[in-house]
Amino acid sequence: MKLRLDPNSAKPLHQQAEDLLRTMIQQEEYKKGKLLPNEVELSRELNISRNTLRQAINRLVFEGLLIRKKGYGTTVAPQNVMSNARNWMSFSQEMHAQGMVVQNFELHISRKHPSQEAAAFLNAPEGTKLLCLERLRGRPGLPFVYFISYFNPAIPMTGEEDTAMPLYENLQKNYGIVVKTSREQIYARAASPDLADKLDISEGAPILVRKRFVLDINDNPVEYNIGYYRADSFTYSIEFTND
């Protein structure tokens, strides 16, 4: 492909370089591990400074799209799930937005006593068993997250809902519930034997734990969700702006 920027464009050069890189890394050769041209060659070909080019590359590294190794070069990162703190989605929506196919490896629906934290968030009376949805999910051939969800007992869910439909679409269609807010906590821990077996990793390997406290448009609690992710398959992107 021809690498060319427009110095007369209103779009800054670093953004043009970023757009070009995004197109470039979609080529099959780079997806298969070919090194990107080094910064000296690429900045010369684009007729921009190395600092301008590096600004574009840094952005893609930050987003988890590129991996830069000192003394080796820059390559396309293995495809993983990106989640953006400013625009949260359900897992299915996150996967579909990135062109990934969702595969369900396990599905368990039951009624269980929730944890104390889940019960408190969902306003569940003491001793109440809540509908619990457990799913091992990922992309074809690679399970990389195990979800456990509990739901507000005021929602008349039966467990017979269509699990092929994205969860929040299901809640809106069947119960008129529109989710609005997700308060999240993310932290690292070592994989237990059970989680290691499900995620096909070694016991004690690092995983990311992502808790979601989901509320509707009236700030009523809807779902308490905890996801256990393979650390090599999930990137959480946060962007702050200093106004």
Side-chain angles (χ1 to χ4, degrees):
M1 64 181 286
K2 289 187 177 181
L3 305 180
R4 186 176 301 167
L5 305 183
D6 180 5
N8 298 314
S9 171
K11 180 178 285 190
L13 289 173
H14 71 87
Q15 290 185 7
Q16 291 187 53
E18 182 183 321
D19 292 343
L20 184 146
L21 286 169
R22 290 182 189 278
T23 301
M24 190 175 182
I25 64 178
Q26 292 304 311
Q27 296 179 41
E28 200 62 30
E29 57 188 322
Y30 292 112
K31 286 184 177 181
K32 290 182 177 179
K34 179 181 176 180
L35 286 172
L36 269 67
N38 67 50
E39 289 183 9
V40 174
E41 295 172 355
L42 196 50
S43 61
R44 184 184 300 125
E45 186 169 357
L46 296 175
N47 196 27
I48 57 176
S49 70
R50 287 184 66 185
N51 284 338
T52 299
L53 176 61
R54 191 173 292 123
Q55 189 175 353
I57 292 174
N58 286 344
R59 177 69 183 188
L60 271 63
V61 170
F62 167 75
E63 292 184 12
L65 298 175
L66 292 177
I67 295 175
R68 185 165 44 198
K69 296 181 181 179
K70 190 175 181 179
Y72 179 70
T74 304
T75 58
V76 175
Q79 192 179 38
N80 62 1
V81 173
M82 288 285 298
S83 182
N84 190 309
R86 296 185 305 163
N87 185 26
W88 70 279
M89 305 176 182
S90 71
F91 176 78
S92 296
Q93 290 170 328
E94 286 178 339
M95 293 283 282
H96 292 154
Q98 296 168 62
M100 299 185 194
V101 177
V102 179
Q103 181 172 347
N104 293 313
F105 295 87
E106 291 184 19
L107 172 64
H108 308 285
I109 301 174
S110 60
R111 292 195 176 269
K112 291 184 176 181
H113 293 294
S115 66
Q116 188 173 12
E117 180 179 57
F121 171 67
L122 296 169
N123 299 321
E126 186 176 352
T128 303
K129 287 186 176 182
L130 301 183
L131 184 69
C132 178
L133 178 61
E134 300 176 69
R135 291 177 289 180
L136 179 62
R137 312 190 77 187
R139 55 179 179 261
L142 179 63
F144 62 76
V145 58
Y146 189 70
F147 287 118
I148 302 174
S149 290
Y150 290 97
F151 300 93
N152 189 326
I155 303 172
M157 297 177 69
T158 64
E160 300 296 323
E161 288 78 12
D162 180 7
T163 56
M165 181 187 296
L167 174 62
Y168 301 141
E169 289 182 21
N170 207 317
L171 288 172
Q172 184 171 352
K173 178 181 178 181
N174 292 312
Y175 306 107
I177 295 171
V178 179
V179 297
K180 178 184 178 184
T181 305
S182 176
R183 297 170 184 159
E184 303 198 7
Q185 299 174 3
I186 296 181
Y187 54 92
R189 60 172 277 191
S192 66
D194 285 347
L195 284 172
D197 182 59
K198 289 182 181 298
L199 299 174
D200 195 23
I201 55 178
S202 301
E203 180 181 347
I207 60 173
L208 291 174
V209 182
R210 182 188 191 186
K211 288 184 183 178
R212 277 183 162 181
F213 303 81
V214 179
L215 301 103
D216 67 12
I217 55 176
N218 297 311
D219 287 334
N220 296 313
V222 173
E223 177 197 18
Y224 173 92
N225 172 274
I226 185 164
Y228 301 96
Y229 291 80
R230 285 179 57 137
D232 60 358
S233 298
F234 179 69
T235 299
Y236 197 75
S237 172
I238 302 175
E239 180 174 322
F240 298 101
T241 301
N242 186 15
D243 295 323

